[in-house]
Amino acid sequence: MRILITNDDGIHAPGLRALANVACRFGEVVVVAPDRERSACSHAMTMREPLRVNAVTYPGAKGYEVNGLPVDCVNVGLTIAFPGGCDLVLSGINNGPNLGFDITYSGTAAGAMEGTINGIRSIAVSMALLDYGQPIDYTLAEAWLGEHLGELVSHPLPPLSFWNVNVPNQEPVGYRYTTMGKRIYKDRVEMREDPWGRPYYWQGGTAVLTDHAPGTDVAAIMDGYVSVTPISLDWTDHASLQKLKS
Ligand code: MN
C-alpha cells in the first residue's frame, strides 16, 4: 500500500512520527508535512506564494517539509512522491480532539478531506485529550490503528466520505462507529492588553461538551471509546432539499 501522511501540528510533531511508525507496517510511507504548526487552518490552501519543499530525514519513511498548510502538503505530496496516485492518505495524529464542530476548523481533517477530493481513501486521526496540557500517549492510537487500520482501509465507503478517528488518552474500552456531535466553546475570545495599553484579542476558549447524545463522537470519547465517524463531503441538506422540492 502507498501511504501519504500529513498533519497540521508540523513536521516535528510526535503524533506525526507515531502515525508514520504504525503506517510503515502497512506499506510504503511518505511524510509531507508543514514546516511548523498550522492548527485550525481548516481547508485553506496557499495560492499567492510559492511552496518550498525540503527533503528531511524521517524514521522509516521519506520525509518532506513544506512552507504550507495540510492541503498544500497533500497536493505537493501527490505531485512529488506519488504522481500515479496513492492508496491511502493519513492525517494526524493530532495533539487534541477533533470532535463535533472541531472538524470544521481542523487542519487535520482538511488533510483527509483533500485526500478524499483526490479520490483516495483518507483517515484523520486525533488524540482526544480533554484536559489541555496533560501529556499525550500516542502509543494508544498507534496500537489501535495497528489493529484496525486494515479494516478502515478495506471497509466500503462512498467516494466522498472519509474517516474521522478520535482516540481517548487512556486505554480505550473499545471502539464505536459514531455521528458527528456538537462541541461548543465558551469564552471563545479573550481581550488582553499589550504593554502599551492597547487591547488585543486571543481566540481559544474552553470546550463545553454539551452534546452527550448517545451515538455521537463526543459521547464515545466521554465513555472511553475510540470514536470512528464516517464524514461526507456532500454538505447538501438532503432532508431540506426534499421538503423544498415537494
Ligand atoms: Mn493540530
Side-chain angles (χ1 to χ4, degrees):
M1 197 156 53
R2 296 158 301 171
I3 306 169
L4 176 63
I5 299 187
T6 193
N7 75 347
D8 74 355
D9 294 332
I11 189 84
H12 301 294
L16 181 70
R17 193 164 281 221
L19 191 53
N21 194 34
V22 65
C24 282
R25 290 157 50 188
F26 293 85
E28 176 201 355
V29 174
V30 177
V31 173
V32 184
D35 57 3
R36 64 204 127 114
E37 199 206 329
R38 308 304 296 256
S39 290
C41 64
S42 188
H43 205 209
M45 68 189 289
T46 305
M47 293 183 70
R48 300 286 182 248
E49 289 160 41
L51 293 166
R52 305 289 180 186
V53 181
N54 291 316
V56 295
T57 49
Y58 211 85
K62 264 191 192 160
Y64 300 91
E65 61 174 18
V66 180
N67 63 335
L69 305 162
V71 168
D72 302 324
C73 291
V74 169
N75 290 324
V76 165
L78 290 172
T79 305
I80 61 175
F82 297 116
C86 69
D87 306 299
L88 180 64
V89 170
L90 296 173
S91 186
I93 302 169
N94 192 54
N95 65 358
N98 274 307
L99 299 166
F101 299 136
D102 291 344
I103 65 169
T104 66
Y105 307 103
S106 170
T108 306
M113 284 162 63
E114 195 61 14
T116 307
I117 288 170
N118 279 283
I120 303 161
R121 173 58 55 90
S122 300
I123 308 172
V125 188
S126 305
M127 285 300 299
L129 173 82
L130 300 178
D131 303 317
Y132 192 76
Q134 291 297 107
I136 298 180
D137 185 358
Y138 291 102
T139 63
L140 294 164
E142 265 185 69
W144 190 85
L145 287 169
E147 271 182 55
H148 299 281
L149 190 65
E151 73 195 62
L152 290 184
V153 172
S154 59
H155 192 284
L157 269 187
L160 283 180
S161 293
F162 68 93
W163 296 115
N164 183 41
V165 176
N166 280 269
V167 178
N169 199 37
Q170 75 262 350
E171 194 62 49
V173 182
Y175 69 101
R176 285 182 187 159
Y177 293 111
T178 56
T179 58
M180 178 182 155
K182 296 185 185 73
R183 196 156 184 256
I184 315 278
Y185 290 79
K186 64 171 183 180
D187 305 326
R188 190 95 234 211
V189 177
E190 245 180 67
M191 192 191 83
R192 299 180 183 181
E193 239 178 44
D194 75 9
W196 297 271
R198 297 170 302 194
Y200 66 93
Y201 301 87
W202 203 314
Q203 289 200 98
T206 337
V208 282
L209 300 168
T210 48
D211 185 4
H212 295 201
T216 60
D217 50 7
V218 175
I221 288 299
M222 296 304 280
D223 293 343
Y225 287 79
V226 173
S227 166
V228 183
T229 313
I231 303 283
S232 173
L233 285 179
D234 179 0
W235 291 0
T236 313
D237 179 347
H238 287 281
S240 295
L241 186 62
Q242 273 317 108
K243 276 186 204 149
L244 289 162
K245 280 183 169 173
S246 60

